[in-house]
Structures are given as structure tokens and as C-alpha cells.
Amino acid sequence: MGYNTGKLGFRGLSAALSMALAMGAAAEECQEFVDNLLSQMTIDEKIGQLTLPAAGDISTGTSRKTFVDQQVADGKIGGILNIRGAEKIRSIQEVAVEKSRLHIPLLIGMDVIHGYRTGFPIPLAQSCTWDIPAIEEAAAIAAKEASACGISWTFSPMVDISRDPRWGRQAEGAGEDPYLGSEVARAMVRGFQGDLSKDTQVLACLKHFALYGAAEAGRDYNTVDMSRQQMYNVYFPPYKAAVEEGVGSVMSSFNIVDGLHATANPWLLTEVLRNQWSFDGFVVTDYASINEMSTHGLGSDYDNSIAALKAGTDMDMISEGFARNLKKGVENGDIPEALIDSAVSRILTAKYRLGLFQNPYKYNNTEREKTDLYLPEARKAAKDMAAKSFVLLKNENSLLPLKAEGKILLTGPLADSGANLPGTWAGDVLLDQTKSVLESMREYVGNKCEILYAKGSNICDDPHVEWGMTVGGREMRDSRSAQEMLNEALEKAQSADVIVACLGEGGEGSGEGSSRADLTLPDAQQRLLEALVATGKPIVLLNFSGRATVLSHEDEVLPAIMNVWFGGSEAADAITEVVFGDICPSGKLTVSMPRSVGQIPVYYNHLMTGRPKIPYDAPYRPYSSNYLDIPNSPLYPFGYGLSYTNFDYSDFEISDTELKDNGVITASINVKNTGNRDADEIVQLYIRDVIRSIAPPVMELKGFQRLSLKAGESRRVSFDITPEMLKFYNYDLEFVAEPGQFDIMIGGSSDKTLKQSFEYKQ
Ligand code: BGC
């Protein structure tokens, strides 16, 4: 079917458009095109472009409202989310293009968060690879697959800094650090959007703007209250980085900022986003945010819709608040129609950038849907990334890697549960086809050794608790009694040489709406582990989690622990190859793992107190900033992660002890792989501003390099340090570097670094 644009004659324009696009799509031409189209729209059609309803193909929110084709034909809809399949999407796109008066194509949105059909590790795990090119490639593969299925717009990247693992959405971001978070944000924008004229790229959506990761008490959707200094120095950088990288859209967050809903906060959406950062894309609300503003106690549906538009929101996801109220707002004189025009213009511009006016069926190539999904190269990239994301937390007496010999007992609720491995927001990964760790290990060892299996326990005992017990609608509970399951595991443990326990959260135990107050292993699994420990057999814990969890007890009683997160559709093979030593683990934590929930928030780049912790003898109170019952430090710090080899850092030198304006200091260090296997190491550069006008953090990540070193190989690694890297937002929110002493720290973990100092002189 051809693309007939009726009176506007887009067909004629389309030749001119393609030339313009080929020549670099001049902004002016786009503007002219958009202005021309806008000038022919009725107010209802304009508001239609600002309206984003869902299809019911998947559900990502509580509202069940869906659109009907007639609304599309009437030009009352600008895009649709949660609709699946190139063919189906094509037919609704046809309604928009053929039947609506102005033939404007729809945006088709979906949460393509960590892969589409090929499941990559959850974003938190991806960040633990510190492998920026691989993260970019993962986004590009996700874009290629999603676009083959009709999707033109992904609600990703989620770049919210999170220092609170009670918040289940820690799974969806890059952890606690603004610098690493910014690098990841940029990589994902590049990977998704690349060259938007291609049909293999999609529009990205930066979310959730802003500060969503700082929800009080780690409870999802909760209030945020924070100083401007903390916003600009810690929470804003990844959003800003994604904007600089050219992200095409931004999603406002669900939370309150300064007493206003983020969706109707003019300071955030207009002053910061547009005026300070020059964002030129469009802003969409999160799911039903405008409706929810009334529940926050923030006025009527009418007031909230007007306030959201005025603040800088362009598109209303689900609420239909714009559809109900904006026309009235113009009639009442509460908003000028020009404000609606600006919003419409931004959305039409995005459609233009995507090439949808030129070819509205660009993403409906049903051939590609058959040929471009779950390809061997995509699966390999996903497996490699999963293997790089695992963080080896403890490995006493080199228990890992295991030899494929004797009898190995594989146990735990995550051992034979492929559907759990893709984790939250699993996209269109075929959960039933995802290999389990048991299947993978048995395949790998063949008849070299015996893998015994006993489930051992359910994820938790409580029959009412949903998390991890149903995955993608699949029932994961074992109907046997807890005791029967435990007995089976213990009996099999008797004849095993080593036990591999696959314990943790379950794929949907983290993610949206999945906050937890207790981050230790659920009771059922703790009982299993205790009973296994009592057998005296060596135990390897593979901890599955979508966040930092509390493993203090496990650290005391177990010789080996590896955090394997949720590694995607290829996770099982990656786990097998790391456990048996074909691949050496190299992931490093991007979130601090607390000793206890009571320490939260615990993060590496904290400020000093006036009374730093001092050693003391209980029971005397030292009146210093510490707990009476546990250390201040996390159990495993940011940047930490072991390998099957060791790395030695030495000969740390800096090229000068003074840094002048426009100058550079080079910091260099020897890194040696002192073991007998080839491996990767992540070398981390931290800087501390010793004294400055607002209290400085004890250290801040400013650079990193991922190295591959052969057994015995040494390499000199260097980092250039410039005044730009010393800048921070001061009390008046000016981005400045202040003269004085700075420490440079380099090492393989934030708690294990070598130090040099220099003075910065302006
Ligand atoms: C989530 C967003 C998501 C949206 C659309 C919301 O509930 O907070 O992250 O993009 O739903 O599915």
C-alpha cells in the first residue's frame, strides 16, 4: 500500500525530503515541513499528537485503558505504546496514514530495556562490565531487533542514580556513580539512536527525569527531597550526558521534586532541561502521571494537565489529561494555543527525524522480523556481556573455577529456572526457551562428571508473595512441602564433592514496584543454605539479584560467592563457562553492597563528617560517626570484584605535582597480571578535592580502563588529568574548579588504591 498523504501532497515532498535527508537533513527544512503541517492542524488534531495511549499487548502500569482504531483515524493519537508485531503495527499505522485527515504516522513505543528478543543482562549488570563499547553494541542490537518488530521508540536508557538497593529499580540503571552512569547513558543513546535515518535504529527516551532513584526509604514512586548541590553534582550528570549525546526524548519521573510533581515542574523541565542543557527533543510523562498528580493531592485533573503542559511536558502517556483539558484550557484563556503548538512541533520533529513522513512503514518490514531476531552474533554478544558482568565476591582457596569432575550438586530455586534469568523488563525474550543453569551445565560437562540436581526450596515460603514466584505469568512454585524439598537436597548433597547453590531474588523480584525492606536471602533459601553448610561440603553461592543485596552471613560461612545478577537469555551458558573457568570473571561492582539494610544509603563517594570514625573499645561511646554494632564500610565496596588471577599495581607516578589552567598531568601506573591465566582488569581512577568551598566527597571516579592482560603480562596504564575533571557545582551552582590540593587514586577497587597528590593553580 502506498503512502498517500492526501491534500498535503507529502508524496511530492517525499523526493525532496529524501534528498534533504541524504544531504544531512537540514534543520531548517525540517522546521519548514513541521510548520507547514502544523498550520493545517485543528486544535483537536494538535492535542491528538500529544496523546499516547497503550495497546493491551503487555501491561506496564495499573491503568488498563487502551485506544480504539477510530481514535487513530480521527487523528486523536500521536503514538501508541505496548503494541507488538510488525504486521499488527503496520495495520494500525495504515489507519493513521491512510484514514486520518493529515496522514500523520504514529510513534510506536516500548520498553526495550536490555535487549528485545536476545536478552542482554539487566542494565545494572551491564554497568558492572564497565565495557562501554559492549554496552553501546547491546543497545544497537536491541534497536535492530525491536525495529524489526515495528518499534520506533524505546523508553530507555534509564539513568537514575541509585544509592538505595531497597529500590527495586536499581536493576534498571547503572548504579551509584555519576561518572560511570554518564558514560553508560551516552553509550546507550548512541547504540539506540545511531543514525536515525536507518530502519535499524530507534528513538531513545531518557528517563526518569528527575531524581527518581532517590525515592525516600527506597520505596518505589516515593517522594524525593534533595539539595541543589546534590542534584547537580551527583544525580543530574547522567541525564545531562544523554542530552549532550542527542537523546530524542525524555520521560518525566513519577516523584515529587521541591513539592511539585516532576511532570509539572517548570524548573526541571524548562529551566534545567531546555534552558540550561539545550534539550531540543520532546518530553513525555511516565505512565498515567497526570492522573496520579491528583492522588498526590496536587489539584484537579484540569489544573494538573495545564500545569504539566506549562511546565514543559509535551506528551501525555495514558492519562488522557491533555485530551480532556487542553482545548478547554485554550478556550478559558489559561494557556495560549502557541504552547500546544510548541509541543506538537517537537513531536512532529521527532517523527521527521525518524524518517516516518518519508516512509511511515519503515519499521514494518515483516521480512526483517523473520530474519533479524536472535541471531547467533547477537546471542554471542549477550553471552559475552553476561560473563563480563558477573562479580566474583569471594573465592577462598580458589574454589572457583570448578573442575568438571566427580559429582557436583546444583541446587536452589534458580538452578533450573531459565525463565527467571532474563530478569525484569525481559522484552520479548522467549522465556520458555531460555536455558537454565542446570541444562547448560549438563550440556557442558557431558559425561565428564555428574551434575546432581535438587531444587532445595522455593524462592520464598509465603504462598502469597508474588516476587520471583511467577515469571511472565508462569507459575514457578514447587508444590512439594519445604521439608520434602530440603530433604531431597540434603540427600543428594551427601554424595556430592561440591555444591553450587543458585539462590536469590527471582527475575521479577526487582524492577518496577519491587522495593524490598529486607535484602537478605529469603527465609526458605536461608534454611536450605544452613542445612547445606552443615554438611561440611564446599559451597559456591551464585547470587541472582537485580540490586545490591545483603550477603554478610553468606560471606562468613561460604568459601565462594559470585553475583550473577540477571544475565539475559544467554546467562546460563555464561555462568557455566565462568564457573568452569573457560572465562575469567572480570565484573566490578557499580553499587556498594551493604552489610546490613541499616547502613543504607551506603556509597563510596560520600562526604566526610566532622567526626570521622575512630577505633574504640566497646562499650565506650566514641562520639564519632559510626555504628555501635557494625563497621561503616559496606561489605563489598564500589569497584570491587575478584578474578581467577591477581593484579598487582605499582610504580604510580604523576608527570607533575602542579596542574595549571589549560594544563594536563599524566598519572601512570604499572598493572601486572601476576597469576597464570589471561584475564581482564578494570583500572579505576579516582580524584579527591582535599579542600573546597562546599564539602567534598572522599573520592570520585574520574576515569577507568578495561584491560586484557596475558598471564604474567604487565602494562603501563595512564590517565590524563585536566582542570575540567576537577570541576564541580559550587554553592551558587557554578561549574568551577577551585585551586588547591588534589589526591589521585588508582586501583582495582575504590577501597584499594595507590595515591599521589598535586596542586591545582589557576
Ligand atoms: C515506568 C516506565 C516505563 C513506562 C511505560 C512506567 O510504569 O515507570 O519506566 O517506561 O511505565 O511502560
PDB file of all heavy atoms in Angstrom, residues 673-704:
ATOM      1  N   ASN A 673      49.483  -8.692  35.663  1.00  0.00           N
ATOM      2  CA  ASN A 673      48.714  -9.913  35.923  1.00  0.00           C
ATOM      3  C   ASN A 673      49.703 -10.920  36.500  1.00  0.00           C
ATOM      4  O   ASN A 673      50.554 -11.465  35.799  1.00  0.00           O
ATOM      5  CB  ASN A 673      48.112 -10.404  34.594  1.00  0.00           C
ATOM      6  CG  ASN A 673      47.368 -11.724  34.757  1.00  0.00           C
ATOM      7  OD1 ASN A 673      47.442 -12.373  35.797  1.00  0.00           O
ATOM      8  ND2 ASN A 673      46.659 -12.122  33.712  1.00  0.00           N
ATOM      9  N   THR A 674      49.628 -11.136  37.803  1.00  0.00           N
ATOM     10  CA  THR A 674      50.635 -11.967  38.471  1.00  0.00           C
ATOM     11  C   THR A 674      50.253 -13.440  38.508  1.00  0.00           C
ATOM     12  O   THR A 674      50.985 -14.257  39.056  1.00  0.00           O
ATOM     13  CB  THR A 674      50.864 -11.483  39.920  1.00  0.00           C
ATOM     14  OG1 THR A 674      49.597 -11.519  40.585  1.00  0.00           O
ATOM     15  CG2 THR A 674      51.421 -10.078  39.957  1.00  0.00           C
ATOM     16  N   GLY A 675      49.099 -13.780  37.971  1.00  0.00           N
ATOM     17  CA  GLY A 675      48.660 -15.185  38.030  1.00  0.00           C
ATOM     18  C   GLY A 675      49.034 -15.937  36.774  1.00  0.00           C
ATOM     19  O   GLY A 675      49.816 -15.462  35.945  1.00  0.00           O
ATOM     20  N   ASN A 676      48.421 -17.113  36.652  1.00  0.00           N
ATOM     21  CA  ASN A 676      48.813 -17.925  35.498  1.00  0.00           C
ATOM     22  C   ASN A 676      47.680 -18.109  34.493  1.00  0.00           C
ATOM     23  O   ASN A 676      47.629 -19.090  33.782  1.00  0.00           O
ATOM     24  CB  ASN A 676      49.351 -19.282  35.967  1.00  0.00           C
ATOM     25  CG  ASN A 676      48.352 -19.958  36.870  1.00  0.00           C
ATOM     26  OD1 ASN A 676      47.218 -19.479  36.986  1.00  0.00           O
ATOM     27  ND2 ASN A 676      48.727 -21.052  37.508  1.00  0.00           N
ATOM     28  N   ARG A 677      46.738 -17.141  34.470  1.00  0.00           N
ATOM     29  CA  ARG A 677      45.763 -17.187  33.381  1.00  0.00           C
ATOM     30  C   ARG A 677      45.489 -15.781  32.843  1.00  0.00           C
ATOM     31  O   ARG A 677      45.596 -14.801  33.563  1.00  0.00           O
ATOM     32  CB  ARG A 677      44.460 -17.880  33.810  1.00  0.00           C
ATOM     33  CG  ARG A 677      43.816 -17.302  35.014  1.00  0.00           C
ATOM     34  CD  ARG A 677      42.374 -17.744  35.119  1.00  0.00           C
ATOM     35  NE  ARG A 677      42.213 -19.155  35.411  1.00  0.00           N
ATOM     36  CZ  ARG A 677      41.382 -19.964  34.758  1.00  0.00           C
ATOM     37  NH1 ARG A 677      40.654 -19.503  33.775  1.00  0.00           N
ATOM     38  NH2 ARG A 677      41.247 -21.222  35.114  1.00  0.00           N
ATOM     39  N   ASP A 678      45.146 -15.730  31.570  1.00  0.00           N
ATOM     40  CA  ASP A 678      44.851 -14.443  30.949  1.00  0.00           C
ATOM     41  C   ASP A 678      43.548 -13.903  31.554  1.00  0.00           C
ATOM     42  O   ASP A 678      42.634 -14.687  31.826  1.00  0.00           O
ATOM     43  CB  ASP A 678      44.646 -14.606  29.438  1.00  0.00           C
ATOM     44  CG  ASP A 678      45.846 -15.261  28.753  1.00  0.00           C
ATOM     45  OD1 ASP A 678      46.886 -15.404  29.418  1.00  0.00           O
ATOM     46  OD2 ASP A 678      45.709 -15.633  27.571  1.00  0.00           O
ATOM     47  N   ALA A 679      43.478 -12.616  31.717  1.00  0.00           N
ATOM     48  CA  ALA A 679      42.250 -12.068  32.325  1.00  0.00           C
ATOM     49  C   ALA A 679      42.127 -10.585  32.050  1.00  0.00           C
ATOM     50  O   ALA A 679      43.081  -9.948  31.602  1.00  0.00           O
ATOM     51  CB  ALA A 679      42.285 -12.309  33.834  1.00  0.00           C
ATOM     52  N   ASP A 680      40.934 -10.064  32.327  1.00  0.00           N
ATOM     53  CA  ASP A 680      40.678  -8.627  32.182  1.00  0.00           C
ATOM     54  C   ASP A 680      40.667  -7.964  33.556  1.00  0.00           C
ATOM     55  O   ASP A 680      40.210  -8.558  34.531  1.00  0.00           O
ATOM     56  CB  ASP A 680      39.307  -8.387  31.528  1.00  0.00           C
ATOM     57  CG  ASP A 680      39.315  -8.739  30.045  1.00  0.00           C
ATOM     58  OD1 ASP A 680      40.347  -9.231  29.549  1.00  0.00           O
ATOM     59  OD2 ASP A 680      38.278  -8.514  29.390  1.00  0.00           O
ATOM     60  N   GLU A 681      41.135  -6.732  33.579  1.00  0.00           N
ATOM     61  CA  GLU A 681      41.091  -5.953  34.824  1.00  0.00           C
ATOM     62  C   GLU A 681      40.499  -4.586  34.507  1.00  0.00           C
ATOM     63  O   GLU A 681      40.709  -4.042  33.414  1.00  0.00           O
ATOM     64  CB  GLU A 681      42.517  -5.812  35.399  1.00  0.00           C
ATOM     65  CG  GLU A 681      42.696  -4.792  36.510  1.00  0.00           C
ATOM     66  CD  GLU A 681      42.024  -5.165  37.835  1.00  0.00           C
ATOM     67  OE1 GLU A 681      41.017  -5.898  37.812  1.00  0.00           O
ATOM     68  OE2 GLU A 681      42.493  -4.694  38.884  1.00  0.00           O
ATOM     69  N   ILE A 682      39.777  -4.032  35.461  1.00  0.00           N
ATOM     70  CA  ILE A 682      39.222  -2.689  35.274  1.00  0.00           C
ATOM     71  C   ILE A 682      39.988  -1.742  36.199  1.00  0.00           C
ATOM     72  O   ILE A 682      39.869  -1.822  37.427  1.00  0.00           O
ATOM     73  CB  ILE A 682      37.709  -2.674  35.554  1.00  0.00           C
ATOM     74  CG1 ILE A 682      37.003  -3.595  34.544  1.00  0.00           C
ATOM     75  CG2 ILE A 682      37.165  -1.259  35.449  1.00  0.00           C
ATOM     76  CD1 ILE A 682      35.661  -4.083  34.974  1.00  0.00           C
ATOM     77  N   VAL A 683      40.794  -0.906  35.581  1.00  0.00           N
ATOM     78  CA  VAL A 683      41.643   0.017  36.333  1.00  0.00           C
ATOM     79  C   VAL A 683      40.847   1.299  36.560  1.00  0.00           C
ATOM     80  O   VAL A 683      40.316   1.878  35.617  1.00  0.00           O
ATOM     81  CB  VAL A 683      42.931   0.318  35.530  1.00  0.00           C
ATOM     82  CG1 VAL A 683      43.844   1.237  36.327  1.00  0.00           C
ATOM     83  CG2 VAL A 683      43.642  -0.972  35.152  1.00  0.00           C
ATOM     84  N   GLN A 684      40.775   1.717  37.794  1.00  0.00           N
ATOM     85  CA  GLN A 684      39.898   2.841  38.145  1.00  0.00           C
ATOM     86  C   GLN A 684      40.704   4.049  38.636  1.00  0.00           C
ATOM     87  O   GLN A 684      41.623   3.892  39.424  1.00  0.00           O
ATOM     88  CB  GLN A 684      38.929   2.385  39.244  1.00  0.00           C
ATOM     89  CG  GLN A 684      38.070   1.205  38.805  1.00  0.00           C
ATOM     90  CD  GLN A 684      37.584   0.338  39.954  1.00  0.00           C
ATOM     91  OE1 GLN A 684      37.180   0.850  40.999  1.00  0.00           O
ATOM     92  NE2 GLN A 684      37.623  -0.982  39.777  1.00  0.00           N
ATOM     93  N   LEU A 685      40.311   5.210  38.168  1.00  0.00           N
ATOM     94  CA  LEU A 685      40.957   6.465  38.564  1.00  0.00           C
ATOM     95  C   LEU A 685      39.979   7.277  39.416  1.00  0.00           C
ATOM     96  O   LEU A 685      38.863   7.559  38.979  1.00  0.00           O
ATOM     97  CB  LEU A 685      41.311   7.270  37.315  1.00  0.00           C
ATOM     98  CG  LEU A 685      41.686   8.736  37.560  1.00  0.00           C
ATOM     99  CD1 LEU A 685      43.115   8.873  38.057  1.00  0.00           C
ATOM    100  CD2 LEU A 685      41.497   9.561  36.280  1.00  0.00           C
ATOM    101  N   TYR A 686      40.422   7.626  40.610  1.00  0.00           N
ATOM    102  CA  TYR A 686      39.582   8.452  41.494  1.00  0.00           C
ATOM    103  C   TYR A 686      40.344   9.740  41.825  1.00  0.00           C
ATOM    104  O   TYR A 686      41.571   9.740  41.898  1.00  0.00           O
ATOM    105  CB  TYR A 686      39.290   7.723  42.806  1.00  0.00           C
ATOM    106  CG  TYR A 686      38.496   6.452  42.632  1.00  0.00           C
ATOM    107  CD1 TYR A 686      39.137   5.226  42.431  1.00  0.00           C
ATOM    108  CD2 TYR A 686      37.108   6.469  42.663  1.00  0.00           C
ATOM    109  CE1 TYR A 686      38.406   4.045  42.275  1.00  0.00           C
ATOM    110  CE2 TYR A 686      36.373   5.299  42.504  1.00  0.00           C
ATOM    111  CZ  TYR A 686      37.027   4.088  42.315  1.00  0.00           C
ATOM    112  OH  TYR A 686      36.301   2.940  42.158  1.00  0.00           O
ATOM    113  N   ILE A 687      39.581  10.796  42.048  1.00  0.00           N
ATOM    114  CA  ILE A 687      40.206  12.055  42.466  1.00  0.00           C
ATOM    115  C   ILE A 687      39.499  12.563  43.717  1.00  0.00           C
ATOM    116  O   ILE A 687      38.284  12.392  43.864  1.00  0.00           O
ATOM    117  CB  ILE A 687      40.147  13.114  41.331  1.00  0.00           C
ATOM    118  CG1 ILE A 687      41.022  12.631  40.160  1.00  0.00           C
ATOM    119  CG2 ILE A 687      40.598  14.479  41.830  1.00  0.00           C
ATOM    120  CD1 ILE A 687      41.165  13.609  39.024  1.00  0.00           C
ATOM    121  N   ARG A 688      40.297  13.139  44.591  1.00  0.00           N
ATOM    122  CA  ARG A 688      39.710  13.783  45.772  1.00  0.00           C
ATOM    123  C   ARG A 688      40.152  15.237  45.811  1.00  0.00           C
ATOM    124  O   ARG A 688      41.339  15.524  45.730  1.00  0.00           O
ATOM    125  CB  ARG A 688      40.210  13.079  47.032  1.00  0.00           C
ATOM    126  CG  ARG A 688      39.774  13.797  48.273  1.00  0.00           C
ATOM    127  CD  ARG A 688      40.195  13.078  49.505  1.00  0.00           C
ATOM    128  NE  ARG A 688      39.610  13.728  50.655  1.00  0.00           N
ATOM    129  CZ  ARG A 688      39.719  13.292  51.884  1.00  0.00           C
ATOM    130  NH1 ARG A 688      40.388  12.179  52.123  1.00  0.00           N
ATOM    131  NH2 ARG A 688      39.156  13.932  52.873  1.00  0.00           N
ATOM    132  N   ASP A 689      39.174  16.093  45.923  1.00  0.00           N
ATOM    133  CA  ASP A 689      39.443  17.514  46.098  1.00  0.00           C
ATOM    134  C   ASP A 689      39.575  17.680  47.605  1.00  0.00           C
ATOM    135  O   ASP A 689      38.602  17.526  48.354  1.00  0.00           O
ATOM    136  CB  ASP A 689      38.223  18.294  45.547  1.00  0.00           C
ATOM    137  CG  ASP A 689      38.497  19.770  45.433  1.00  0.00           C
ATOM    138  OD1 ASP A 689      39.469  20.241  46.043  1.00  0.00           O
ATOM    139  OD2 ASP A 689      37.710  20.450  44.733  1.00  0.00           O
ATOM    140  N   VAL A 690      40.792  17.970  48.087  1.00  0.00           N
ATOM    141  CA  VAL A 690      41.025  17.860  49.528  1.00  0.00           C
ATOM    142  C   VAL A 690      40.254  18.929  50.310  1.00  0.00           C
ATOM    143  O   VAL A 690      39.626  18.639  51.320  1.00  0.00           O
ATOM    144  CB  VAL A 690      42.539  17.876  49.827  1.00  0.00           C
ATOM    145  CG1 VAL A 690      42.801  17.787  51.323  1.00  0.00           C
ATOM    146  CG2 VAL A 690      43.217  16.709  49.098  1.00  0.00           C
ATOM    147  N   ILE A 691      40.330  20.143  49.816  1.00  0.00           N
ATOM    148  CA  ILE A 691      39.566  21.219  50.479  1.00  0.00           C
ATOM    149  C   ILE A 691      38.872  22.044  49.401  1.00  0.00           C
ATOM    150  O   ILE A 691      39.497  22.436  48.414  1.00  0.00           O
ATOM    151  CB  ILE A 691      40.498  22.142  51.293  1.00  0.00           C
ATOM    152  CG1 ILE A 691      41.065  21.330  52.465  1.00  0.00           C
ATOM    153  CG2 ILE A 691      39.747  23.380  51.791  1.00  0.00           C
ATOM    154  CD1 ILE A 691      41.901  22.116  53.423  1.00  0.00           C
ATOM    155  N   ARG A 692      37.600  22.294  49.571  1.00  0.00           N
ATOM    156  CA  ARG A 692      36.920  23.157  48.608  1.00  0.00           C
ATOM    157  C   ARG A 692      35.773  23.898  49.290  1.00  0.00           C
ATOM    158  O   ARG A 692      35.530  23.675  50.483  1.00  0.00           O
ATOM    159  CB  ARG A 692      36.449  22.340  47.401  1.00  0.00           C
ATOM    160  CG  ARG A 692      35.304  21.405  47.702  1.00  0.00           C
ATOM    161  CD  ARG A 692      34.899  20.589  46.464  1.00  0.00           C
ATOM    162  NE  ARG A 692      33.569  20.052  46.654  1.00  0.00           N
ATOM    163  CZ  ARG A 692      33.021  19.148  45.860  1.00  0.00           C
ATOM    164  NH1 ARG A 692      33.679  18.684  44.821  1.00  0.00           N
ATOM    165  NH2 ARG A 692      31.786  18.705  46.089  1.00  0.00           N
ATOM    166  N   SER A 693      35.109  24.738  48.523  1.00  0.00           N
ATOM    167  CA  SER A 693      34.141  25.646  49.155  1.00  0.00           C
ATOM    168  C   SER A 693      32.848  24.963  49.594  1.00  0.00           C
ATOM    169  O   SER A 693      32.134  25.478  50.442  1.00  0.00           O
ATOM    170  CB  SER A 693      33.822  26.799  48.203  1.00  0.00           C
ATOM    171  OG  SER A 693      33.307  26.272  46.999  1.00  0.00           O
ATOM    172  N   ILE A 694      32.484  23.846  48.975  1.00  0.00           N
ATOM    173  CA  ILE A 694      31.405  23.035  49.572  1.00  0.00           C
ATOM    174  C   ILE A 694      32.019  21.679  49.876  1.00  0.00           C
ATOM    175  O   ILE A 694      32.952  21.237  49.187  1.00  0.00           O
ATOM    176  CB  ILE A 694      30.147  22.898  48.665  1.00  0.00           C
ATOM    177  CG1 ILE A 694      30.448  22.194  47.358  1.00  0.00           C
ATOM    178  CG2 ILE A 694      29.458  24.229  48.449  1.00  0.00           C
ATOM    179  CD1 ILE A 694      29.199  21.764  46.593  1.00  0.00           C
ATOM    180  N   ALA A 695      31.505  21.022  50.902  1.00  0.00           N
ATOM    181  CA  ALA A 695      32.150  19.797  51.401  1.00  0.00           C
ATOM    182  C   ALA A 695      32.381  18.793  50.265  1.00  0.00           C
ATOM    183  O   ALA A 695      31.449  18.463  49.530  1.00  0.00           O
ATOM    184  CB  ALA A 695      31.288  19.191  52.490  1.00  0.00           C
ATOM    185  N   PRO A 696      33.635  18.347  50.116  1.00  0.00           N
ATOM    186  CA  PRO A 696      33.943  17.425  49.009  1.00  0.00           C
ATOM    187  C   PRO A 696      33.692  15.965  49.373  1.00  0.00           C
ATOM    188  O   PRO A 696      33.835  15.585  50.530  1.00  0.00           O
ATOM    189  CB  PRO A 696      35.443  17.639  48.807  1.00  0.00           C
ATOM    190  CG  PRO A 696      35.950  18.051  50.162  1.00  0.00           C
ATOM    191  CD  PRO A 696      34.831  18.751  50.877  1.00  0.00           C
ATOM    192  N   PRO A 697      33.377  15.135  48.378  1.00  0.00           N
ATOM    193  CA  PRO A 697      33.308  13.700  48.628  1.00  0.00           C
ATOM    194  C   PRO A 697      34.706  13.148  48.917  1.00  0.00           C
ATOM    195  O   PRO A 697      35.699  13.746  48.499  1.00  0.00           O
ATOM    196  CB  PRO A 697      32.784  13.116  47.313  1.00  0.00           C
ATOM    197  CG  PRO A 697      32.377  14.256  46.467  1.00  0.00           C
ATOM    198  CD  PRO A 697      33.053  15.479  46.986  1.00  0.00           C
ATOM    199  N   VAL A 698      34.792  12.005  49.559  1.00  0.00           N
ATOM    200  CA  VAL A 698      36.109  11.453  49.889  1.00  0.00           C
ATOM    201  C   VAL A 698      36.849  11.006  48.631  1.00  0.00           C
ATOM    202  O   VAL A 698      38.071  10.972  48.601  1.00  0.00           O
ATOM    203  CB  VAL A 698      36.015  10.268  50.883  1.00  0.00           C
ATOM    204  CG1 VAL A 698      35.527  10.744  52.234  1.00  0.00           C
ATOM    205  CG2 VAL A 698      35.126   9.155  50.349  1.00  0.00           C
ATOM    206  N   MET A 699      36.149  10.654  47.615  1.00  0.00           N
ATOM    207  CA  MET A 699      36.754  10.320  46.324  1.00  0.00           C
ATOM    208  C   MET A 699      35.664  10.288  45.264  1.00  0.00           C
ATOM    209  O   MET A 699      34.490  10.092  45.582  1.00  0.00           O
ATOM    210  CB  MET A 699      37.473   8.960  46.377  1.00  0.00           C
ATOM    211  CG  MET A 699      36.566   7.785  46.615  1.00  0.00           C
ATOM    212  SD  MET A 699      37.390   6.288  47.248  1.00  0.00           S
ATOM    213  CE  MET A 699      38.716   6.026  46.107  1.00  0.00           C
ATOM    214  N   GLU A 700      36.066  10.524  44.015  1.00  0.00           N
ATOM    215  CA  GLU A 700      35.097  10.461  42.909  1.00  0.00           C
ATOM    216  C   GLU A 700      35.754   9.791  41.718  1.00  0.00           C
ATOM    217  O   GLU A 700      36.878  10.159  41.352  1.00  0.00           O
ATOM    218  CB  GLU A 700      34.679  11.869  42.489  1.00  0.00           C
ATOM    219  CG  GLU A 700      33.813  12.586  43.492  1.00  0.00           C
ATOM    220  CD  GLU A 700      33.579  14.012  43.051  1.00  0.00           C
ATOM    221  OE1 GLU A 700      34.514  14.827  43.178  1.00  0.00           O
ATOM    222  OE2 GLU A 700      32.481  14.317  42.563  1.00  0.00           O
ATOM    223  N   LEU A 701      35.054   8.859  41.113  1.00  0.00           N
ATOM    224  CA  LEU A 701      35.551   8.204  39.905  1.00  0.00           C
ATOM    225  C   LEU A 701      35.665   9.240  38.793  1.00  0.00           C
ATOM    226  O   LEU A 701      34.722   9.999  38.551  1.00  0.00           O
ATOM    227  CB  LEU A 701      34.583   7.097  39.480  1.00  0.00           C
ATOM    228  CG  LEU A 701      35.045   6.265  38.281  1.00  0.00           C
ATOM    229  CD1 LEU A 701      36.127   5.274  38.685  1.00  0.00           C
ATOM    230  CD2 LEU A 701      33.868   5.502  37.661  1.00  0.00           C
ATOM    231  N   LYS A 702      36.828   9.245  38.113  1.00  0.00           N
ATOM    232  CA  LYS A 702      37.018  10.209  37.019  1.00  0.00           C
ATOM    233  C   LYS A 702      37.507   9.545  35.748  1.00  0.00           C
ATOM    234  O   LYS A 702      37.732  10.204  34.738  1.00  0.00           O
ATOM    235  CB  LYS A 702      38.030  11.281  37.448  1.00  0.00           C
ATOM    236  CG  LYS A 702      37.558  12.165  38.575  1.00  0.00           C
ATOM    237  CD  LYS A 702      36.508  13.154  38.110  1.00  0.00           C
ATOM    238  CE  LYS A 702      36.015  13.993  39.278  1.00  0.00           C
ATOM    239  NZ  LYS A 702      35.083  15.029  38.857  1.00  0.00           N
ATOM    240  N   GLY A 703      37.745   8.256  35.814  1.00  0.00           N
ATOM    241  CA  GLY A 703      38.199   7.560  34.609  1.00  0.00           C
ATOM    242  C   GLY A 703      38.345   6.081  34.906  1.00  0.00           C
ATOM    243  O   GLY A 703      38.390   5.682  36.078  1.00  0.00           O
ATOM    244  N   PHE A 704      38.358   5.277  33.858  1.00  0.00           N
ATOM    245  CA  PHE A 704      38.613   3.837  34.032  1.00  0.00           C
ATOM    246  C   PHE A 704      39.049   3.261  32.702  1.00  0.00           C
ATOM    247  O   PHE A 704      38.768   3.828  31.642  1.00  0.00           O
ATOM    248  CB  PHE A 704      37.369   3.108  34.571  1.00  0.00           C
ATOM    249  CG  PHE A 704      36.153   3.255  33.714  1.00  0.00           C
ATOM    250  CD1 PHE A 704      35.891   2.373  32.670  1.00  0.00           C
ATOM    251  CD2 PHE A 704      35.251   4.289  33.940  1.00  0.00           C
ATOM    252  CE1 PHE A 704      34.771   2.530  31.874  1.00  0.00           C
ATOM    253  CE2 PHE A 704      34.128   4.456  33.139  1.00  0.00           C
ATOM    254  CZ  PHE A 704      33.886   3.574  32.105  1.00  0.00           C
TER     255      PHE A 704
END
